[in-house]
């Protein structure tokens, strides 16, 4: 009979600090620089994501398409976050009276679960687990930011010069959505199939290969 493998001890204090900062970034109001240069406070990334669901979101894709009444990309991300946080911290709601008076101060159960998770007594051998929680939450903040503040981009209808792929597919709300393979963004033009990237310095050459005299809005 083999002994159960245990994680080795790690720097649990550093891991707890990383988790606390990650939860703070996701769940607490965030500073934002206004147009006049002053710092103002806006809703947390999680609250912004929750409140974005009922409305419609217009994307600068260059493709005309109707928008559903619910923003499905936001719904998908919320579902992932809620499901994962519930798996991490299933012990909510807490029975009253609670040791933590703030346990019912927020209308979003996911935020309360994360705050309760942050109060756990972690052991040094839990370091890898806590680091994983923190990294996942930081990744959610990045996804929410990209979703709510997308960088402008355009699609080209041409097939990729490298792999000859014209269309790629992504999943949205459980359905396969077709979009052109070539996408132009702030870092260049990239093929969604083979991953080939043409930096902005190569746009003139790319335009000639694709048969354009210039790519409007991209080349000067």
């Amino acid at each position: 009979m083999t002994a159960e493998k245990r994680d080795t001890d790690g720097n649990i204090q550093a891991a707890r600090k990383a988790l606390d900062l990650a939860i703070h970034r996701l769940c607490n109001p965030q500073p934002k620089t206004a147009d006049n240069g002053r710092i103002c406070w806006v809703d947390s990334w999680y609250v912004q994501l929750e409140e974005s669901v009922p409305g419609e979101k217009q994307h600068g894709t260059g493709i005309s398409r109707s928008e559903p009444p619910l923003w499905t990309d936001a719904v998908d991300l919320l579902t992932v976050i809620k499901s994962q946080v519930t798996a991490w911290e299933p012990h909510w709601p807490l029975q009253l009276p609670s040791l933590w008076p703030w346990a019912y101060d927020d209308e979003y159960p996911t935020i309360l679960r994360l705050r309760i998770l942050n109060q756990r007594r972690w052991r040094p051998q839990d370091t890898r687990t806590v680091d994983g929680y923190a990294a996942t939450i930081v990744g959610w903040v990045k996804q929410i930011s990209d979703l709510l503040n997308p960088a402008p981009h355009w699609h080209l209808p041409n097939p990729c010069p490298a792999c000859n792929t014209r269309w790629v597919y992504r999943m949205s709300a459980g359905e396969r959505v077709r979009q052109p393979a070539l996408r132009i963004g702030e870092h260049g033009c990239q093929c969604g199939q083979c991953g080939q990237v043409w930096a902005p310095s190569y746009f003139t050459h790319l335009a000639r290969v694709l048969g354009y005299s210039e790519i409007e809005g991209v080349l000067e």
Side-chain angles (χ1 to χ4, degrees):
M1 184 175 179
T2 59
E4 183 180 354
K5 185 178 180 180
R6 294 179 56 195
D7 285 343
T8 57
D9 292 353
N11 188 344
I12 189 59
Q13 296 302 322
R16 290 187 63 179
K17 182 176 181 180
L19 178 62
D20 181 71
L21 289 174
I23 292 175
H24 178 88
R25 288 186 61 194
L26 179 66
C27 301
N28 287 26
Q30 298 296 313
K32 181 179 180 179
T33 303
D35 294 338
N36 59 9
R38 294 185 177 181
I39 301 297
C40 61
W41 291 86
V42 298
D43 288 335
S44 70
W45 285 114
Y46 183 83
V47 170
Q48 290 184 58
L49 180 63
E50 282 272 12
E51 294 184 348
S52 73
V53 169
E56 297 181 356
K57 188 69 176 179
Q58 302 295 329
H59 299 274
T61 61
I63 300 176
S64 298
R65 62 190 178 106
S66 60
E67 293 290 341
L70 290 180
W71 187 13
T72 53
D73 289 340
V75 172
D76 291 344
L77 181 53
L78 268 176
T79 300
V80 169
I81 295 174
K82 290 178 179 179
S83 176
Q84 184 60 78
V85 172
T86 299
W88 290 346
E89 181 48 75
H91 304 116
W92 188 93
L94 299 176
Q95 292 185 354
L96 294 176
S98 170
L99 294 176
W100 301 305
W102 44 260
Y104 288 88
D105 285 349
D106 199 291
E107 62 181 303
Y108 298 107
T110 297
I111 292 179
L112 297 176
R113 289 181 190 272
L114 286 170
R115 288 177 176 167
I116 293 171
L117 179 75
N118 204 27
Q119 296 298 319
R120 283 189 191 174
R121 294 183 178 180
W122 303 103
R123 306 165 299 170
Q125 56 265 41
D126 296 324
T127 299
R128 183 181 300 176
T129 297
V130 177
D131 280 336
Y133 291 164
T136 299
I137 295 170
V138 169
W140 289 339
V141 171
K142 176 66 165 57
Q143 291 180 67
I144 296 172
S145 177
D146 290 345
L147 201 61
L148 299 182
N149 305 293
H153 63 273
W154 302 264
H155 284 99
L156 296 177
N158 309 74
C160 170
C163 67
N164 204 37
T165 299
R166 185 183 295 271
W167 303 100
V168 293
Y169 297 85
R170 65 180 181 86
M171 296 301 296
S172 178
E175 298 181 356
R176 294 181 77 214
V177 178
R178 188 177 77 165
Q179 65 184 33
L182 292 180
R183 167 173 163 155
I184 297 178
E186 58 181 333
H187 300 298
C189 180
Q190 183 172 17
C191 174
Q193 177 64 27
C194 68
Q196 177 69 39
V197 177
W198 290 267
S201 58
Y202 287 90
F203 278 172
T204 299
H205 171 73
L206 178 62
R208 291 170 180 167
V209 170
L210 297 177
Y212 294 102
S213 58
E214 65 177 18
I215 302 178
E216 185 178 354
V218 179
L219 297 178
E220 297 182 355

